[in-house]
Amino acid sequence: MSAGARGALVAVLAVVLSACTLDLDVRVGVVADGSGSVAVDVAVDAGALARAGGDLAAVVDLDRLRADGWTVDGPTSTAGGGSRLRLRQGFDSPEDADRVLAALAGDGGASPFRDLHVDREVSALRTRWRFGGTVDLSRGLAVPGVTPGGSGEPLPTDVGGLERQLGASLDRLLRLRVGVQLPGEVRSNATTKADNGAVWQVRFGDGPLDLEATGTRTRTTTVALLAVGAV
């Protein structure tokens, strides 16, 4: 993935994370052959849209994202005058998933996402999948020089600066969720379970959140053959 495309995706986060009210969902789905997809779903209210100049497409280089393999749906209008933007990119293997997930971290270190990855371990009896990484909202939420709405005032890159600019605590303004679906029986440190997966609710003030999930699929045919052989 080009540095420019990473910057464009981080710019999406930078603009919407300066929002008045924001819902941000990141979903990672993995299937048994190692392929899958990464999806980013952003919904902002009317106030956030106004800060972005009334059009998210005007402050985010969507063409660059498309050129680097992201499917872009939107921005589309929502009830109440807000806007929704959906990004999705597929991958062919766990290694390819890491490439796609690296786009969420960007190059400047201002994104809350760090070290997101997918691993696969294959043995004679089972295949084990691991998803991990860290979400740290204290690292800063913006990219220096990204200016919503053409106001001429760059966004603050720290939580305190954003809270002063917005006049409210960010834990009241942002709802951030990270979800993963893995093959097999899934165990995780998430507080919310899902079908073959887990969902983490990320809150300000809780410090860095380590994401850990494991999916295990046992080869029942192999186990049965071993049992017959033992008999």
Side-chain angles (χ1 to χ4, degrees):
M1 172 170 293
S2 68
R6 289 189 182 188
L9 184 52
V10 175
V12 175
L13 301 177
V15 171
V16 299
L17 284 171
S18 69
C20 296
T21 300
L22 163 72
D23 283 299
L24 175 62
D25 284 283
V26 177
R27 300 182 304 279
V28 181
V30 184
V31 297
D33 66 357
S35 64
S37 65
V38 176
V40 181
D41 191 348
V42 177
V44 296
D45 67 3
L49 192 60
R51 285 180 176 272
D55 183 8
L56 288 180
V59 293
V60 179
D61 193 344
L62 299 180
D63 289 337
R64 182 180 296 172
L65 290 170
R66 293 188 184 98
D68 206 68
W70 291 91
T71 299
V72 179
D73 181 9
T76 57
S77 298
T78 61
S83 184
R84 182 179 297 274
L85 177 66
R86 290 187 172 98
L87 306 174
R88 183 184 180 280
Q89 185 167 173
F91 53 82
D92 299 323
S93 66
E95 295 77 16
D96 196 28
D98 289 353
R99 174 191 63 82
V100 178
L101 289 168
L104 296 177
D107 296 317
S111 169
F113 302 103
R114 186 171 74 245
D115 300 328
L116 298 181
H117 64 276
V118 175
D119 296 323
R120 176 175 55 183
E121 177 185 319
V122 181
S123 68
L125 298 180
R126 65 180 61 87
T127 300
R128 180 165 293 159
W129 304 83
R130 293 185 179 90
F131 169 78
T134 302
V135 181
D136 185 0
L137 293 172
S138 68
R139 299 179 72 214
L141 303 174
V143 175
V146 176
T147 305
S151 64
E153 181 181 355
L155 293 173
T157 59
D158 62 285
V159 173
L162 280 171
E163 289 184 332
R164 287 190 294 273
Q165 186 181 86
L166 297 174
S169 173
L170 287 177
D171 61 3
R172 297 175 52 195
L173 305 177
L174 171 64
R175 292 180 288 272
L176 172 58
R177 291 172 293 272
V178 179
V180 64
Q181 287 187 311
L182 299 172
E185 180 182 353
V186 177
R187 297 185 178 183
S188 75
N189 65 345
T191 56
T192 304
K193 309 300 181 183
D195 291 339
N196 287 94
V199 178
W200 292 267
Q201 308 281 341
V202 186
R203 293 173 52 86
F204 282 96
D206 290 345
L209 176 62
D210 293 325
L211 316 178
E212 299 176 1
T214 301
T216 303
R217 173 169 285 184
T218 302
R219 289 185 172 81
T220 54
T221 301
T222 302
V223 173
L225 290 174
L226 289 174
V228 170
V231 172

